[in-house]
Amino acid sequence: MTSARSLTPVLFFVLFLCSCCLNGCAKQTTVVLLPDPGGKVGKVTVTSDVASIDITKAQEATVIKGRQSAPTAPKVLSEAEIARNFSEALSSLPEPPKHFNLYFEKDSDRLTAQSQQVIPDILAAASQRQSQDIGIIGHTDTAGDPSYNMRLSKQRANAVLQILIQEGIQDKFVKITSHGENNPLIKTADNVHEPKNRRVEVVVR
Amino acid sequence: MRAAYLSLFMLALLLLTFSATAGAMDSIGIIKSVSGEVYLASTETSIKAVPHMKISQGDLIRTGPNSNVGLIFEDDTVVSLGSNSELCIEQFLFDPAAGKLAFITKLFRGTFSFISGQIAKLAPDQVRLETPDATLGVRGTKFLVKID
């Protein structure tokens, strides 16, 4: 009996929590599709427990009022409506990382003349993003044996690092990895010279 | 009795090693920008977020009033949270060479903007956002979410 009585407040508390959720958690989710930075419009599929809908057009939106209800028919929102709800999130969205491919002379860690001209673009992207997170990934083609290629891809990555350091990028902001011949841009058989695979990828975040 | 203490000690040791491995987990992205009060919480700790901090799978990110944060993930996905927002990165796998790709995020409250990255391109079925009301499948690329 005593234990039953002592349980009563606990039971009330649990009931209180449940009713809170029923009223206070009457949530809704709004999803809006936008063109990406290149102008392309993708697609988002929105699914509740009872129905599913696709939004496919620029500024199209759907609203879902709980898992037991169907998403509303897609409706295009005005710029003003979007700005009212999302200006803060939109203005704090980082620029997507930028990728560069630098190519090398055969069997060498010397950049091709054409790729040397890409260096200023890398520096500009780093400065624009105030980047402290630059990835350098070395690769080779499949000519030669894998351990040699692993060494060569490391040398290539290091060569690019040295160039970036000379141009004022801080060593500590750069992370180097080397994939040897394991991650070709163009898939080839073993022992194939492929200029497009003799590369270093630079990612500026 | 001594055996009991010994097994307890072994258990503690095991737990320590386990949490140490979990702490050394691979970074899956970075905090790019912070304004106001932003917290980054893992299973063990909650710390104030500052730019260039690393984020890991399982992390929870939370913003206070008049605060926002921008995130960049390893697969080039970019995400921002407006004020009073909260999300948890449930699963993030980005190993294209091994075909291991997944990006599952829970959104609890607030406003969000996204530009999806390489995982959505390579394995769109493996990208999922859960809100309290719905599940979002992402076929690209830029979109907004608000939870009231």
Side-chain angles (χ1 to χ4, degrees), chain A residues 12-41:
Chain A
F12 268 114
F13 183 63
V14 169
L15 277 173
F16 170 73
L17 276 185
C18 289
S19 63
C20 259
C21 245
L22 287 177
N23 303 320
C25 310
K27 287 188 170 180
Q28 69 171 34
T29 297
T30 308
V31 187
V32 190
L33 188 65
L34 293 180
D36 73 13
K40 199 177 145 264
V41 180

Side-chain angles (χ1 to χ4, degrees), chain A residues 41-104:
Chain A
V41 180
K43 179 170 104 173
V44 176
T45 303
V46 181
T47 309
S48 72
D49 286 351
V50 292
S52 185
I53 211 166
D54 286 347
I55 48 174
T56 55
K57 295 196 190 84
Q59 297 178 210
E60 205 166 57
T62 181
V63 178
I64 316 93
K65 293 182 173 158
R67 290 220 162 245
Q68 295 309 315
S69 67
T72 59
K75 181 189 150 199
V76 173
L77 299 185
S78 68
E79 302 267 355
E81 273 175 294
I82 293 173
R84 195 167 59 240
N85 287 305
F86 295 102
S87 62
E88 191 186 23
L90 277 168
S91 63
S92 50
L93 189 62
E95 260 193 86
K98 201 153 184 183
H99 290 246
F100 301 88
N101 275 322
L102 300 172
Y103 298 98
F104 290 78

Side-chain angles (χ1 to χ4, degrees), chain A residues 99-105 108-123 134-140 153 156-164 185 194-204:
Chain A
H99 290 246
F100 301 88
N101 275 322
L102 300 172
Y103 298 98
F104 290 78
E105 305 289 351
S108 146
D109 62 4
R110 211 171 45 244
L111 279 178
T112 62
Q114 206 172 16
S115 283
Q116 280 171 22
Q117 293 171 8
V118 178
I119 301 291
D121 300 341
I122 298 177
L123 299 171
I134 297 174
I136 299 182
I137 308 137
H139 305 272
T140 66
S153 71
R156 285 177 175 164
N158 271 318
V160 173
L161 173 64
Q162 291 317 315
I163 294 170
L164 293 186
L185 194 63
E194 170 52 67
K196 284 230 180 304
N197 289 339
R198 296 198 287 265
R199 73 200 196 279
V200 161
E201 195 183 346
V202 179
V203 189
V204 181

Side-chain angles (χ1 to χ4, degrees), chain B residues 34-39 48-49 62-69 82 84:
Chain B
V34 171
S35 167
E37 301 274 306
V38 180
Y39 293 91
K48 222 173 151 188
R62 195 171 67 233
T63 61
N66 300 315
S67 305
N68 58 67
V69 63
N84 300 313

